[in-house]
Amino acid sequence: MKILSIETSCDDTAITIFEAKGTIKNPRPKNSGGQASFKILANTSNSQINIHAQYGGVFPALAKREHIKNLPILLQDALEKSKLDKKKKPIDLIAVTYGPGLEPSLWTGIVFAKELSEKYLPTGRQVKIPIIPVNHMEGHIMSVFGKSEGSFKIPKVNFPVLSLLVSGGHTELILSKDWLNYKIIGETLDDAAGEAYDKVARMMDIPYPGGPKISKLAEEERNASPDAFVQVLGSRGPLPPPDHSQKHTGSAKNFSFALPRPMIYSKNFDFSFSGLKTAVLYLIRDLKKENPNILQDEKVKQAIALEFENAVVETLIHKTKKAIEKYKPKTLIVAGGVSCNEHLQREMKKYINKDITLLFPEKKLTGDNSIMIGIAGYLQYLKNNKKISNTKSIKAKGNLRF
Ligand code: KG4
Ligand code: ZN
C-alpha cells in the first residue's frame, strides 16, 4: 500500500511517500504477510531553523505560518518525485503527527491531512483516504528502524525494549514489552536534555538550536591537550564547585569547576535538567564578574560546554543503566534529536552490556522527520487490524503521552 506521512509538530515540515507491505512478526506471528518493509518513493522536508534562530527558540505563530506555506509545496514536490499515477490509486493511507508538540504546528499537519483525504481522490473514487494519527514520540522510537532513502525492513526485535528518548521537548525512558506497547518509567520533571543544551547555548550567545554547537565545542575541548584550559583560568585559580546537595561523579579532568549530575542519587528513573542549566548560568555570571568579556574566549566556552555535556551524558547513562538493571531489556533504543550526540553514542556503546542490542537512528533520522511517522503509522494500522476510526475526530494534542 502507498502511505503519505506528514510531520509538523515543531519547526520541521516534512512529507514522505512510501510503499509499505508485510507485517510485524509479533503480536501476530501467524499472519503470513511477511516482515514489514518500506520503500521510500519520495522524502521532502523543510527546516525553519533560520527563521527561529533570531528568537532564540521556536516561535509558535511563525512555525504555524511556515508549515501552512510549506506543506503544499512539499506535497507537490513529493508527488512529482514519487511519480505516482493519480488516475490509479495513488495513496491508500495518510499518517499524520497529532502530538505531542506545539498545538498550532500540529493543527497545520492535521488540517492538511484532512483536506488531502477528501480532495486528493483519484477519478471515480468515492472513499476518502483514511488517516491514522501518530504519536510523535512513538515515531522517534520507530526512527531506529528507518533509512533516509531507499528500502528497509523492520528487523526481528527482542523484547523487552527500553527506549531512551532525548529531544528538545522530551527526555524519557519507555519500556515496551511488545510491539506498540509503551510504559513511561521515567521522564524529566522540568527541562528536556535538548532544551538544556539550547538554553546553555543561549547563555553563550550561540544561536538556536545550540545542541550541535555545544557538542562541537565540548568535543574540541575533550580532544585538546589537558594544559590548554589551565592557561585560561590558571591565573585566577580554581573555582569552588557549585553548592548543590548532589555530589557529582567527577569526570572533569582538564578544568577547575564542576557542575552537578542531577538526580543521580534519586531512586526513580526521572530526570531534571533545570538545576544543571541554572548552575551554568551562575557559573557564567561568576566568570563574567571577573572578566565581562570572558565568553569571547573560545577556550572558556569549550570548557563550559565539555563539563555541561559530561554532566548530561553521565546522567542519561546512569539512569538508563539503573533502568536496565531493573527491567532487563534485550534491546535498548536511543532516539530523538540529542541521540546524534557523539559523546552520548560513544559512552552508551562503552557502558551498555554487549548482550543488549543497542539501536540508534541513522544520523539524518535523529531529528524530526516524516519517515518515522510513516513507519509508526503503518505499524499502528496493522495493529488496528487495518480499521481506521473516524478521521474527522482527529485533534492536535500538545501534551499527548503514551
Ligand atoms: O527531536 P528533535 O529534532 O525535536 C524535538 O522533537 O524536540 O530534537 C531537537 C533537539 C534540540 O534541542 C537540539 O539542540 C538537540 O536536539 N540536538 C543536540 C544535538 N543535535 C541536536 N543536542 C546535543 N548534541 C547534538 N549533537
Ligand atoms: Zn521530535
Side-chain angles (χ1 to χ4, degrees):
M1 70 187 303
K2 304 259 186 331
I3 301 178
L4 183 143
S5 58
I6 303 170
E7 160 62 34
T8 61
S9 69
C10 190
D11 58 344
D12 289 285
T13 324
I15 293 183
T16 306
I17 300 177
F18 303 84
E19 173 80 62
K21 57 183 182 199
T23 186
I24 29 179
K25 290 252 159 68
N26 42 33
R28 280 181 293 284
K30 288 193 191 113
N31 192 323
S32 56
Q35 221 171 333
S37 63
F38 298 81
K39 183 176 177 199
I40 296 175
L41 305 177
N43 185 42
T44 56
S45 63
N46 182 283
S47 162
Q48 303 172 8
I49 280 178
N50 293 339
I51 290 161
H52 298 290
Q54 56 185 306
Y55 302 99
V58 180
F59 195 136
L62 267 184
K64 176 182 166 179
R65 191 193 73 187
E66 288 300 303
H67 287 309
I68 292 172
K69 192 182 86 192
N70 291 324
L71 279 165
I73 301 169
L74 294 183
L75 175 70
Q76 197 52 40
D77 190 20
L79 288 172
E80 276 165 24
K81 282 187 183 142
S82 65
K83 301 194 176 66
L84 285 185
D85 185 351
K86 199 180 169 190
K87 288 192 198 106
K88 288 186 181 164
K89 196 182 162 206
I91 290 157
D92 304 288
L93 180 72
I94 299 171
V96 64
T97 307
Y98 77 113
L102 300 171
E103 284 206 3
S105 290
L106 290 162
W107 271 117
T108 63
I110 294 170
V111 168
F112 191 76
K114 288 182 182 176
E115 282 175 5
L116 196 63
S117 155
E118 293 191 16
K119 288 188 196 146
Y120 193 76
L121 294 174
T123 327
R125 199 173 170 210
Q126 304 298 321
V127 195
K128 290 179 194 168
I129 305 170
I131 305 175
I132 192 131
V134 174
N135 179 326
H136 180 80
M137 302 316 288
E138 178 173 45
H140 274 302
I141 293 179
M142 295 300 170
S143 69
V144 300
F145 304 122
K147 277 193 183 158
S148 55
E149 54 188 327
S151 304
F152 55 90
K153 269 187 180 175
I154 302 290
K156 186 175 181 307
V157 173
N158 291 320
F159 290 89
V161 173
L162 180 69
S163 301
L164 171 67
L165 298 184
V166 269
S167 69
H170 291 79
T171 301
E172 40 191 33
L173 278 164
I174 291 141
L175 187 70
S176 302
K177 294 196 171 152
D178 205 341
W179 279 110
L180 312 173
N181 163 298
Y182 307 103
K183 185 178 169 215
I184 299 178
I185 57 162
E187 61 192 319
T188 183
L189 305 176
D190 39 58
D191 291 356
E195 187 180 358
Y197 265 94
D198 296 337
K199 287 180 176 167
V200 164
R202 205 172 164 180
M203 292 173 205
M204 295 200 242
D205 297 325
I206 294 166
Y208 170 86
K213 175 74 178 161
I214 291 282
S215 159
K216 188 167 172 275
L217 286 167
E219 203 67 2
E220 283 162 4
E221 176 63 9
R222 204 172 274 122
N223 296 330
S225 75
D227 300 338
F229 186 66
V230 176
Q231 285 170 10
V232 179
L233 282 188
S235 58
R236 58 187 302 279
L239 281 171
D243 181 25
H244 51 81
S245 52
Q246 299 151 334
K247 294 184 194 78
H248 79 88
T249 51
S251 71
K253 56 181 193 307
N254 300 341
F255 40 85
S256 42
F257 55 86
L259 293 169
R261 272 59 178 161
M263 309 249 319
I264 58 168
Y265 293 104
S266 72
K267 289 214 164 60
N268 56 29
F269 306 106
D270 289 335
F271 304 90
S272 161
F273 291 106
S274 138
L276 173 60
K277 167 200 75 187
T278 309
V280 178
L281 186 75
Y282 290 156
L283 171 69
I284 292 177
R285 184 196 60 188
D286 292 347
L287 289 172
K288 279 188 172 171
K289 267 186 208 155
E290 297 213 2
N291 174 1
N293 299 322
I294 191 130
L295 286 183
Q296 283 171 15
D297 191 325
E298 200 68 0
K299 278 272 143 214
V300 175
K301 288 206 246 188
Q302 287 170 349
I304 296 171
L306 176 63
E307 172 64 353
F308 167 76
E309 181 162 279
N310 284 346
V312 172
V313 169
E314 279 172 34
T315 309
L316 292 173
I317 290 183
H318 178 84
K319 290 281 171 167
T320 307
K321 282 181 73 180
K322 267 182 68 170
I324 289 174
E325 277 161 27
K326 176 158 182 196
Y327 295 102
K328 310 210 171 352
K330 297 207 171 78
T331 305
L332 174 65
I333 287 175
V334 184
V338 183
S339 71
C340 75
N341 183 279
E342 282 179 37
H343 188 54
L344 175 64
Q345 292 212 6
R346 214 172 26 231
E347 297 296 293
M348 275 288 178
K349 284 175 194 157
K350 215 189 282 176
Y351 290 113
I352 298 308
N353 189 324
K354 298 281 176 287
D355 301 340
I356 298 174
T357 308
L358 178 56
L359 302 174
F360 291 98
E362 192 185 290
K363 192 160 193 255
K364 282 188 184 158
L365 299 185
T366 52
D368 293 346
N369 64 83
S370 47
I371 292 177
M372 67 185 197
I373 302 304
I375 302 171
Y378 181 59
L379 299 195
Q380 281 291 349
Y381 168 77
L382 295 177
K383 185 191 172 190
N384 295 347
N385 280 324
K386 307 185 180 178
K387 284 195 208 94
I388 304 280
S389 54
N390 180 5
T391 55
K392 270 201 175 140
S393 65
I394 300 173
K395 287 190 173 64
K397 289 192 180 153
N399 296 321
L400 180 69
R401 285 168 67 81
F402 278 113

